[in-house]
């Protein structure tokens, strides 16, 4: 009989009949346990099924309708609210699997000195649906909890000893908004002080067990490889072969192991917002999936290894499964330059996670920020999301952190709440704009407003941002937006790959056509150079950058590689494909090299000699190196954007929501230009942009445009 049918059958039984079924089930278990050793091979599987069955039986016996266990039992009420100086600990009493969950709550001071008596574990989990609520008996009274938490507690409960846990759903009175707000400020200390953080990923499956084993084996093999061959890369050609110096055979790219690992890394827990601090603030974190365990440190180590080997990151985890992305995010937070981050930077990186309450995008960042920044915001769940976001953005601007406006994109057409366009809206901005792998423009290398002092203020009760600056241009025509979809990690369908390649090819083709008719820095600068610099937004100033020639050359080698990968029919199916682009690049190679010497004087770090990418790399690694460099310099600056030609003939890299007629403005005090959209009451802020030839103060030096005040609404 199928499990669903069994549960339907059991739910229809009377209490007496259900007790008889459970008694027979227990007798069956005892009978198997006394069988000879020859039966032990199947016992592990049976024991696992027994846990699931006991959980199901317990739910039916204890939580269906009005079960006898809770009849007449008083509902639990929190006797008094606790402030930010105290927190509660749950004591989960030991019992057998099928018995009701019982616990008690005790209160501790937040600065209580750690000892064996008050040591506790902190639980990190996904709340799950509030439908079908279960119950736990807390201090003799019934307390509702979500079904997901009830399942976790049955796995955590020990038959012989009680267990001390901190669980937000129970230890915080969720119905008291004041207590919730106060306890938010404690959560960082609570997770730091726990002796261990236990992450509940949900029930195990056969594939999750294999994924955990694969993670351990793969991490060990890559560690040995990197230790033996420092700086070497695992190539696509290494898949399906033993990875030296170990005898471990790396599965083929389409092997089931990769699918199972990515499925494991896609579990819902990895996507949630609050779990970032829960995994980042404690050194002892364990992932638990049913009855299987995995060290978070090991999982984080694997994420770092994937990031160092493009063949893994690009061929296996094209969509950056949530678990891998989360591990990278946590590693980033741990590597703060001075031990802590500024608050707005933490909010920025946390916004890739999912939150049930949009106000938590700010509140959840407090535990990761510097101590002084953490005092800037007081959590208050009585305030609206719009007021929290508006006050936060205004506060950052008043503190001189003007770069926060770089995060404003897509609000002009997608904002779900009533906020001004200069306010960061995390309910929409990151669902569309911040695609995994995209990078903000590095405004530290630009001086678009020259030495003009900043001049801005708030008007209309703080809802209008008035900034002095200059309108210097308008957007006229556009190339195709860079495709934001990646390879489907669960499908190796050729048609899907071809579609993606054609989209990239079309984007590069239209960008080239725009560049051919745009202005350059000077007559000596080829249009190919302005195109490359615009596409990468001069992303060639970073430490350890490759030579400018390599950065430019890889652009066209990547283009040519796309054309070669596509069938001729598929390539010709893209309207207007220019087969001769790469040939034209070779013809102007000499002029590009000469221009590079002149332009490189702008860089803060002198470039090394001009070496040819091909001359330095004639092996089979060439294509992988081209892909790696293109993903390093170009794709992070193109995702979510498109190339545009301005009215004055300049080439620009702008947000894909830009429209014809949007203006390019230099705002005094900001290092990069912004796109503004004229409306009846002022201007909407669309986002920042790169406009070739006006990024280094040219507008101010040449006195371009008329100075004016922009009312950004």
């Amino acid at each position: 009989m199928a499990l669903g049918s069994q549960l339907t059958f059991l739910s229809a039984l009377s209490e007496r009949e259900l007790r008889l079924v459970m008694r027979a089930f227990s007798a069956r278990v005892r009978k198997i346990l006394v069988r000879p050793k020859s039966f032990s091979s199947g016992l592990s599987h049976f024991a696992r099924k027994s846990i699931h069955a006991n959980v199901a039986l317990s739910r039916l016996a204890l939580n269906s309708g009005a079960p006898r266990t809770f009849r007449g039992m008083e509902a639990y009420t929190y006797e008094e609210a606790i402030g930010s100086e105290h927190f509660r600990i749950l004591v989960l009493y030991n019992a057998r699997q099928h018995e009701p969950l019982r616990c008690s709550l005790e209160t501790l001071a937040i600065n209580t000195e750690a000892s064996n008596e008050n040591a506790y574990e902190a639980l990190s989990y996904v709340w799950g649906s509030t439908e079908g609520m279960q119950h736990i008996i807390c201090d003799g009274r019934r307390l509702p909890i979500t079904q997901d938490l009830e399942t976790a507690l049955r796995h955590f409960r020990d038959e012989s000893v009680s267990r001390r846990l901190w669980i937000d759903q129970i230890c915080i009175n969720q119905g008291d908004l004041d207590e919730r707000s106060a306890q938010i400020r404690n959560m960082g200390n609570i997770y730091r002080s726990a002796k261990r953080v236990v992450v509940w990923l949900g029930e195990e499956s056969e594939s999750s067990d294999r994924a955990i084993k694969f993670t351990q084996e793969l991490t060990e093999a890559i560690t040995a490889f990197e230790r033996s061959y420092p700086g070497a890369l695992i190539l696509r050609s290494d898949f399906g072969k033993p990875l030296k110096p170990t005898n471990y055979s790396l599965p083929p790219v389409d092997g089931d192991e990769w699918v199972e690992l990515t499925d494991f890394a896609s579990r819902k827990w990895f996507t949630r917002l609050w779990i970032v601090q829960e995994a980042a603030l404690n050194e002892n974190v364990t992932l638990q999936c049913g009855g299987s365990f995995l060290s978070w440190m090991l999982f984080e180590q694997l994420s770092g290894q994937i990031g160092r080997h493009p063949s893994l990151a690009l061929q296996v985890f094209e969509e950056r499964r949530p678990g891998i992305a989360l591990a990278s995010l946590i590693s980033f937070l741990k590597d703060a330059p001075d031990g802590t981050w500024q608050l707005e930077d933490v909010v920025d990186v946390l916004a890739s996670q999912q939150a049930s309450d949009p106000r938590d995008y700010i509140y959840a960042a407090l535990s990761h920020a510097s101590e002084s920044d953490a005092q800037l915001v007081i959590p208050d769940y009585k305030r609206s999301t719009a007021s929290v976001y508006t006050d936060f953005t205004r506060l950052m601007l008043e503190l001189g952190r003007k770069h926060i406006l770089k995060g404003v994109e897509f609000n002009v057409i997608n904002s779900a709440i009533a906020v001004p366009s200069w306010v960061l809206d995390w309910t929409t901005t990151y669902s569309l704009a911040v695609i995994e792998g995209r990078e903000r423009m590095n405004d530290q290398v630009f001086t678009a407003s020259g030495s003009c002092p900043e001049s801005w203020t708030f008007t209309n009760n703080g809802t209008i941002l008035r900034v002095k600056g200059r309108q210097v241009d308008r957007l006229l025509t556009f190339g195709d937006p860079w495709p934001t979809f990646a390879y489907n990690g669960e499908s190796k369908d050729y048609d899907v790959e071809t579609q993606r390649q054609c989209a990239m090819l079309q984007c590069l083709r239209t960008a080239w056509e725009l560049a051919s008719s745009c202005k350059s820095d000077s007559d000596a600068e080829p249009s190919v150079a302005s195109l490359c610099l615009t596409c990468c937004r001069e992303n060639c100033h970073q430490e350890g950058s490759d030579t400018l020639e390599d950065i430019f050359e890889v652009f066209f080698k990547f283009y040519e590689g796309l054309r070669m990968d596509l069938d001729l029919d598929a390539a010709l199916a893209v309207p207007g494909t220019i087969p001769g682009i790469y040939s034209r690049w070779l013809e102007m190679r000499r002029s590009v090299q000469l221009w590079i010497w002149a332009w490189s004087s702008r860089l803060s770090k002198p470039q090394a000699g001009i070496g040819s990418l091909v001359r330095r790399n004639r092996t089979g690694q060439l294509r992988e190196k081209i892909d790696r460099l293109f993903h390093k310099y170009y794709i992070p600056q193109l995702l979510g954007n498109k190339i545009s030609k301005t009215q004055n003939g300049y080439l620009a890299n702008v947000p894909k929501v830009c429209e014809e007629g949007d203006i390019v403005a230099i705002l005094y005090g900001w290092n990069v230009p912004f796109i503004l959209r004229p409306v009846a009451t002022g201007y909407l802020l669309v986002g920042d942009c790169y406009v070739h030839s006006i990024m280094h103060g040219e507008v101010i030096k040449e006195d371009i445009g008329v100075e004016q005040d922009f009312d950004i609404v």
Side-chain angles (χ1 to χ4, degrees), residues 84-89 106-120 164 186 189-190 192-195:
S84 57
E85 297 82 16
H86 295 84
F87 69 107
R88 299 186 185 94
I89 289 296
E106 57 184 59
T107 302
L108 296 177
I110 196 66
N111 57 357
T112 301
E113 186 176 348
S115 66
N116 290 333
E117 290 74 23
N118 57 40
Y120 63 91
R164 294 169 57 83
N186 282 344
N189 286 330
I190 290 172
R192 286 190 189 95
S193 302
K195 68 177 182 181

Side-chain angles (χ1 to χ4, degrees), residues 330-462:
I330 289 177
S331 296
F332 172 81
L333 290 174
K334 290 179 178 179
D335 293 336
D338 300 316
T340 55
W341 293 99
Q342 287 189 320
L343 181 57
E344 72 276 13
D345 295 328
V346 180
V347 173
D348 190 45
V349 298
L350 290 184
S352 60
Q353 299 296 107
Q354 298 176 9
S356 301
D357 189 324
R359 293 167 292 190
D360 287 340
Y361 283 116
I362 294 174
Y363 298 159
L366 299 177
S367 297
H368 303 279
S370 64
E371 185 174 350
S372 58
D373 273 14
Q375 305 303 316
L376 295 174
V377 176
I378 298 177
D380 184 355
Y381 285 99
K382 293 181 178 179
R383 299 183 59 200
S384 69
T385 300
S387 65
V388 170
Y389 284 8
T390 301
D391 287 353
F392 177 77
T393 307
R394 187 190 301 116
L395 174 63
M396 293 300 105
L397 289 171
E398 290 172 344
L399 291 173
R401 302 176 185 180
K402 304 188 301 297
H403 59 278
I404 194 170
L405 289 190
K406 294 197 305 177
V408 178
E409 292 180 56
F410 295 88
N411 291 7
V412 292
I413 60 172
N414 288 294
S415 184
I417 56 178
V419 293
S421 65
W422 52 267
V423 173
L424 270 74
D425 178 5
W426 288 276
T427 64
T428 58
T429 300
Y430 286 86
S431 63
L432 294 173
V434 181
I435 302 140
E436 188 61 45
R438 186 187 183 196
E439 294 179 3
R440 300 280 186 213
M441 185 161 46
N442 181 9
D443 62 353
Q444 298 304 309
V445 301
F446 302 119
T447 55
S449 62
S451 58
C452 293
E454 62 182 75
S455 178
W456 58 271
T457 187
F458 288 107
T459 65
N460 195 37
N461 296 320

Side-chain angles (χ1 to χ4, degrees), residues 493-549:
D493 183 40
Y494 177 76
D495 292 337
V496 173
E497 183 171 340
T498 301
Q499 180 185 4
R500 176 178 183 265
Q501 290 177 323
C502 285
M504 290 192 295
L505 192 64
Q506 174 74 355
C507 178
L508 296 179
R509 181 193 66 79
T510 56
W512 174 271
E513 291 179 342
L514 288 174
S516 300
S517 60
C518 284
K519 291 182 180 179
S520 301
D521 275 349
S522 66
D523 294 337
E525 181 193 42
S527 55
V528 61
S530 58
L531 174 60
C532 292
L533 290 171
T534 301
C535 286
C536 74
R537 300 196 292 194
E538 296 189 24
N539 182 29
C540 42
H541 301 262
Q542 54 188 284
E543 188 67 27
S545 292
D546 296 83
T547 66
L548 284 174
E549 185 193 26

